[in-house]
Amino acid sequence: MVAFIARMIKKQADISLEKGQAKYAAYFVKTRLYEDYRADVNAILTVDGYEDVILTD
């Protein structure tokens, strides 16, 4: 699940930063359903150079 979420966020971030941030928000800010995966997704995004899409609450 972690890899899937990270891949979906990166796919949108490749289109634009705003789309990537919106997808990140959809998974982690607007809902807490995927909160258990957030730290691992953040790690993947950071390692892969997508840290700009990571939002804080």
Side-chain angles (χ1 to χ4, degrees), residues 2-34:
V2 171
F4 172 79
I5 294 171
R7 187 171 61 248
M8 294 299 102
I9 294 169
K10 291 190 295 185
K11 184 176 179 181
Q12 292 301 307
D14 287 340
I15 297 169
S16 74
L17 176 62
E18 292 79 18
K19 286 186 180 276
Q21 289 174 334
K23 182 60 77 173
Y24 185 91
Y27 278 112
F28 300 117
V29 177
K30 295 178 182 175
T31 181
R32 298 290 178 208
L33 184 62
Y34 302 104

